[in-house]
Amino acid sequence: MSTEQVPWVKTASETYEDCIVGNREGLLQLKDAIDKAIQEDSVSPEFKSDFISVVCTKEEWDCTEASNIPAWQELLFKVLCVGWLLILPIIGIFTVIKWLR
């Protein structure tokens, strides 16, 4: 019986939330994969893991997801909100006054 364990690393674990978890061999190989990714920009892990690759990028933290919308869409949204919040209640008030007469 071999005492050598299969190297593994997990990024999603119910026991250890928000942690990278793995056995010693897996974490050492992850460290090597990170060093290699820093040199080569991307590397696929050679150990059992729940992720596909280790990537080194020059993007800023918040730049990975764009959340900007075009100015015309923002203007349209604001006009529709003003219409909904101001004009609709005014029409409702006049309808109630008309109904009460």
Side-chain angles (χ1 to χ4, degrees):
M1 197 111 186
S2 175
T3 59
E4 187 176 319
Q5 293 183 341
V6 175
W8 64 271
V9 175
K10 283 175 128 181
T11 58
S13 171
E14 292 178 11
T15 308
Y16 302 97
E17 292 183 21
D18 300 328
C19 295
I20 297 173
V21 182
N23 61 6
R24 179 175 173 76
E25 293 81 12
L27 291 173
L28 288 171
Q29 287 189 15
L30 174 62
K31 179 181 164 191
D32 293 338
I34 291 170
D35 290 338
K36 196 173 182 182
I38 290 171
Q39 295 171 0
E40 301 174 12
D41 292 335
S42 178
V43 64
S44 296
E46 298 173 2
F47 49 88
K48 187 175 182 178
S49 66
D50 60 351
F51 54 90
I52 297 171
S53 65
V54 178
V55 178
C56 180
T57 181
K58 294 179 181 170
E59 294 178 358
E60 294 294 325
W61 176 268
D62 293 332
C63 292
T64 56
E65 296 180 21
S67 60
N68 295 337
I69 60 172
W72 69 270
Q73 287 181 348
E74 185 176 354
L75 179 64
L76 179 64
F77 178 74
K78 289 178 180 179
V79 168
L80 291 173
C81 285
V82 167
W84 182 261
L85 296 174
L86 294 177
I87 297 171
L88 190 64
I90 292 170
I91 293 171
I93 290 170
F94 281 119
T95 304
V96 169
I97 291 173
K98 190 176 178 181
W99 180 74
L100 290 175
R101 287 185 183 184

